[in-house]
Amino acid sequence: MTEHKPTSPLSMPLWQYWRGLSGWNFYFLAKFALLWTGYLNFHALENLVFAAYLLFPLPNPRLHRLRHWVGLPIGFALFWHDTWLPGLDSMMSQGSQVAGFSWDYILDLTTRFINWQMVGAAFVLLVAWLFISQWVRVTVLVVAALIWLNVLTVSGPVIALTPGGNTAPAAVTTAITSGDTNTPQVGDIPAQTAPASSQNLTAWLNSFYASEAKRQTQFPASLPMDAQPFELLVINICSLAWSDMEATGLTSHPLWSHFDILFKEFNSATSYSGPAAIRLLRASCGQSSHKNLYSPAGNQCYLFDNLAALGFSQHLMLDHDGVFGDFLKEIRQYGGVQSPLMNQNGLPTNLLSFDNSPIYDDTAVLQRWLSEEGRDPNTRSATFFNLLPLHDGNHFPGISKTADYKVRAQKLFDQLDNFLTELEKSGRKVMVVVAPEHGGALKGDKMQVSGLRDIPSPSITHVPVGVKFIGMKAPHQGSPIEISQPSSYLAISELVARSVDGKNFVADQVDWNALTSNLPQTAPVSENANAVVIQYQGKPWVRLGGGDWVPYPQ
């Protein structure tokens, strides 16, 4: 009689050790749900590889358990990679600034990431998975879905995966004819006639920067003998976009009807303060990439240097200390502003910043500018004034909670409106330019929670820019002249160049059409260190960390 020996696990066929995804099924189901609703930048191949790692049959039970433990940090990292949250490079670059935040502000930011509706939906999904898995092999469905998503990625066509028509994140191709009415075909903007593939979008961005590198404002070599002296005041406001005003109901505030010229489609090109201020101070040349902002530019690019060559003295004002993020250091080094900071001694504190540093009352700062000792209103001057009261996390002294944005914006708008009125009574000739740095991300979207600005989304970079001429002999009458073409900083520089002789202040009649027509147009391209957002054929696209372009989730 033959003796039957027990079969060794190593001698059994490998296919008998398929164990399924077990609890990882819920991990992938949660991702599918987030992808469906547009909250993920899902990487199909990486997720399929991770599932294969979890499924590969291992005869040894200890190795199988160890695989799950090793999979935990891998799964967390992959989940983070699939979200729109800042990547490691971005967090490293911003780490020193985050370290300067107050603990109250850090706690406030943390709580914004908790979406209780999503928490509830995840609980329902968990219960549904536990219930259905009693009868259905969920692993088969999950693997099939992962393979299907990879097939979509390879095949190329855009297939709507969400109720809103969002597409599967991939290097997609959309056939759009060159006759598309949304395609910019103006001379200042490179044509957008190629299909919207990742390769074509990158090529268009490169052509945009190549085109912008050739553009600059032509200032006169000297002023005519009959030129009239005036003052230029550039007010650079942090955290103010059209979307923020719409969210707070302040689009109809009297301030915005006080201007002579109002840019309705102005793109700030970034969502951070330092780069925005540098771009404004380098307004006399075309838009550069984010990287090139931190390299020297030609003297012809610096707006205040062009004015200095024509006899304008330079002045610098802040309603904060300029320490956070090395703001003051950056605008000196890369923005070309070398004038001393206006004296801040004795200014009353209006707010405390997110790092608990003082923010001075803007009316007091402007009053000091008006009455600055030794200032002769009959000389030419150019002043750069950066304001911080609307930044996220600002709070009133003695109160740790972030102050209501609408309350702060209402006060600032009232202060600026009153200042313009007072300036009109002073008899001084002043060209006032109000140009916000970027928006405050007050509402947030599917890519970023409220207050997060790592990605320069259209709602953050679409800012209101107003221009007012004070002390004109023939002031503009009626509603502001609206500039509805896509514009950016070069248009501001052009307006200043057209006005630099000051003759409009003493003219019996001003040709406003000649002043505002044919201003430089600039395509909406916005960039931070690790993210680029463009408008291509009427739709926003985003690229993170140099990867593929994907449609910006709406």
Side-chain angles (χ1 to χ4, degrees):
M1 184 174 181
T2 305
E3 182 179 355
H4 293 279
K5 295 183 179 180
T7 305
S8 169
L10 295 177
S11 64
M12 295 176 62
L14 203 61
W15 62 266
Q16 292 189 14
Y17 294 96
W18 291 106
R19 294 182 174 92
L21 289 172
S22 187
W24 290 102
N25 279 310
F26 177 70
Y27 170 87
F28 287 108
L29 290 173
K31 281 191 172 183
F32 295 157
L34 290 171
L35 173 61
W36 178 270
T37 53
Y39 284 96
L40 280 191
N41 180 27
F42 190 78
H43 296 82
L45 180 58
E46 289 89 332
N47 278 272
L48 184 60
V49 171
F50 183 51
Y53 159 79
L54 295 170
L55 283 170
F56 188 83
L58 293 175
N60 191 315
R62 291 183 178 180
L63 287 179
H64 175 66
R65 288 192 294 270
L66 179 62
R67 170 173 58 186
H68 284 297
W69 284 108
V70 174
L72 288 176
I74 298 175
F76 177 81
L78 181 57
F79 204 113
W80 189 285
H81 183 54
D82 281 338
T83 69
W84 302 107
L85 294 171
L88 182 61
D89 291 342
S90 178
M91 289 189 292
M92 293 291 290
S93 63
Q94 300 295 326
S96 60
Q97 297 191 24
V98 175
F101 291 171
S102 67
W103 282 110
D104 291 314
Y105 184 44
I106 292 176
L107 179 61
D108 182 20
L109 286 175
T110 302
T111 56
R112 296 182 198 179
F113 283 91
I114 302 175
N115 185 320
W116 292 109
Q117 288 184 332
M118 284 191 176
V119 172
F123 176 71
V124 172
L125 181 63
L126 175 62
V127 173
W129 165 66
L130 291 172
F131 181 74
I132 295 173
S133 61
Q134 299 177 85
W135 303 284
V136 178
R137 294 184 63 87
V138 180
T139 295
V140 176
L141 299 179
V142 167
V143 172
L146 287 170
I147 294 174
W148 178 61
L149 289 170
N150 276 270
V151 169
L152 293 183
T153 302
V154 173
S155 61
V158 174
I159 298 179
L161 293 178
T162 71
N166 287 330
T167 60
V172 297
T173 303
T174 306
I176 301 179
T177 64
S178 60
D180 190 312
T181 57
N182 291 322
T183 304
Q185 297 289 345
V186 296
D188 292 342
I189 301 176
Q192 299 181 344
T193 55
S197 68
S198 192
Q199 181 180 3
N200 288 341
L201 266 61
T202 299
W204 180 87
L205 180 64
N206 292 335
S207 68
F208 167 80
Y209 281 132
S211 174
E212 291 294 301
K214 302 173 184 177
R215 305 172 74 192
Q216 72 177 70
T217 306
Q218 297 298 323
F219 279 82
S222 61
L223 294 177
M225 294 295 295
D226 58 347
Q228 299 295 313
F230 70 96
E231 299 169 275
L232 172 67
L233 175 61
V234 178
I235 300 177
N236 193 212
I237 304 174
C238 178
S239 301
L240 177 63
W242 286 108
S243 61
D244 302 320
M245 293 197 295
E246 291 167 359
T248 53
L250 292 176
T251 53
S252 59
H253 190 282
L255 170 66
W256 305 107
S257 61
H258 210 144
F259 292 105
D260 299 324
I261 303 168
L262 191 61
F263 286 86
K264 302 289 286 187
E265 298 296 334
F266 192 96
N267 183 51
S268 69
T270 183
S271 56
Y272 283 133
S273 297
I278 295 170
R279 289 187 183 280
L280 177 55
L281 291 167
R282 293 187 180 186
S284 296
C285 281
Q287 183 172 323
S288 72
S289 67
H290 177 85
K291 180 180 179 181
N292 287 344
L293 286 179
Y294 297 93
S295 299
N299 291 337
Q300 73 279 5
C301 295
Y302 297 96
L303 175 61
F304 278 40
D305 280 1
N306 286 324
L307 294 171
L310 297 174
F312 284 75
S313 60
Q314 295 187 21
H315 303 270
L316 174 63
M317 298 193 303
L318 304 177
D319 67 357
H320 53 99
D321 58 19
V323 173
F324 185 82
D326 290 328
F327 179 82
L328 184 56
K329 179 181 177 181
E330 283 196 357
I331 64 172
R332 290 198 187 286
Q333 183 174 356
Y334 305 111
V337 177
Q338 303 302 328
S339 54
L341 179 63
M342 190 185 76
N343 179 25
Q344 296 178 329
N345 292 335
L347 290 172
T349 299
N350 179 36
L351 292 161
L352 293 180
S353 182
F354 43 86
D355 61 351
N356 286 323
S357 61
I359 300 175
Y360 304 111
D361 182 79
D362 290 300
T363 294
V365 178
L366 290 167
Q367 287 296 327
R368 181 163 293 184
W369 178 80
L370 279 172
S371 60
E372 187 179 34
E373 186 176 354
R375 173 70 61 83
D376 183 355
N378 294 316
T379 61
R380 296 177 176 87
S381 70
T383 301
F384 180 78
F385 179 27
N386 183 263
L387 289 73
L388 203 61
L390 301 185
H391 194 288
D392 192 43
N394 292 349
H395 53 97
F396 294 110
I399 303 175
S400 61
K401 183 180 179 181
T402 298
D404 183 76
Y405 182 95
K406 183 175 182 179
V407 171
R408 289 180 283 146
Q410 178 76 49
K411 180 177 180 179
L412 177 62
F413 292 179
D414 289 344
Q415 289 177 319
L416 293 177
D417 195 41
N418 292 334
F419 168 72
L420 292 178
T421 300
E422 183 176 355
L423 201 56
E424 288 170 332
K425 297 176 182 178
S426 69
R428 295 167 72 153
K429 298 180 178 64
V430 186
M431 179 181 180
V432 180
V433 178
V434 174
E437 299 173 352
H438 52 73
L442 204 59
K443 295 178 64 176
D445 57 25
K446 290 184 176 181
M447 292 192 73
Q448 300 178 115
V449 298
S450 172
L452 194 64
R453 293 179 280 105
D454 195 63
I455 300 171
S457 67
S459 62
I460 296 176
T461 62
H462 181 210
V463 299
V465 171
V467 180
K468 178 68 178 178
F469 292 87
I470 306 289
M472 278 185 150
K473 182 178 180 180
H476 180 261
Q477 302 296 325
S479 301
I481 300 170
E482 294 187 352
I483 309 297
S484 57
Q485 293 80 21
S487 308
S488 199
Y489 300 102
L490 195 64
I492 293 179
S493 179
E494 180 65 24
L495 264 180
V496 173
R498 293 181 184 184
S499 309
V500 75
D501 61 10
K503 293 182 180 181
N504 283 332
F505 287 94
V506 296
D508 294 327
Q509 185 175 356
V510 177
D511 189 344
W512 291 97
N513 184 60
L515 181 63
T516 59
S517 62
N518 297 319
L519 290 171
Q521 297 185 35
T522 303
V525 173
S526 304
E527 185 177 4
N528 289 341
N530 298 292
V532 187
V533 177
I534 66 174
Q535 290 279 344
Y536 192 85
Q537 295 177 336
K539 297 179 181 179
W541 294 79
V542 59
R543 184 180 70 184
L544 302 180
D548 287 329
W549 292 92
V550 297
Y552 195 97
Q554 301 296 299

